[in-house]
Amino acid sequence: QVQLVESGGGLVQAGGSLRLSCAASGRTFSIYAMGWFRQVPGKEREFVAAISANGAITAYAESVKGRFTISRNYAKNTVYLQMNNLKPEDTAVYYCNLHYAPTTWGQGTQVTVSS
């Protein structure tokens, strides 16, 4: 079973960029489709982006399409989320997990976008 640790969040002004990283442990990372999710207080966790096991197919929530890019590096066992043109409504805790069958959620990484 894979273990995941998110990093790269921080405070950024609207219009700025951040790159989030999700470091995975375990030898079977490459067989899983991976996803990024986000959650704000009082709201349900929502889907942000996903990438297929082989990296050939990506999908995005409509709210981030054209601004965010998901990618993965198999040698580093890492999934990335490049976030450009950030908006205050992107403020949330961001989590990575298996796309189709999420395992235990980690602590995530906080992204705060100021006006």
Side-chain angles (χ1 to χ4, degrees):
Q1 198 171 72
V2 66
Q3 297 182 55
L4 307 166
V5 179
E6 303 94 340
S7 64
L11 175 64
V12 65
Q13 291 187 313
S17 298
L18 286 172
R19 187 179 72 165
L20 306 184
S21 297
C22 174
S25 63
R27 299 175 60 193
T28 58
F29 167 76
S30 63
I31 73 172
Y32 299 111
M34 301 295 296
W36 282 96
F37 308 81
R38 66 188 182 188
Q39 187 171 32
V40 299
K43 299 287 187 178
E44 290 288 319
R45 183 179 284 108
E46 67 174 347
F47 165 79
V48 176
I51 186 166
S52 63
N54 67 2
I57 304 171
T58 57
Y60 301 91
E62 287 296 324
S63 59
V64 307
K65 194 171 296 182
R67 300 188 297 120
F68 291 9
T69 303
I70 188 171
S71 62
R72 63 195 302 169
N73 184 309
Y74 297 94
K76 294 183 178 293
N77 278 5
T78 302
V79 181
Y80 303 97
L81 185 69
Q82 178 66 47
M83 306 185 295
N84 298 325
N85 191 25
L86 283 161
K87 304 176 180 180
E89 50 263 46
D90 295 319
T91 295
V93 177
Y94 284 70
Y95 304 87
C96 67
N97 215 321
L98 312 185
H99 180 59
Y100 294 111
T103 185
T104 302
W105 298 96
Q107 62 180 328
T109 186
Q110 176 72 49
V111 172
T112 303
V113 184
S114 63
S115 301

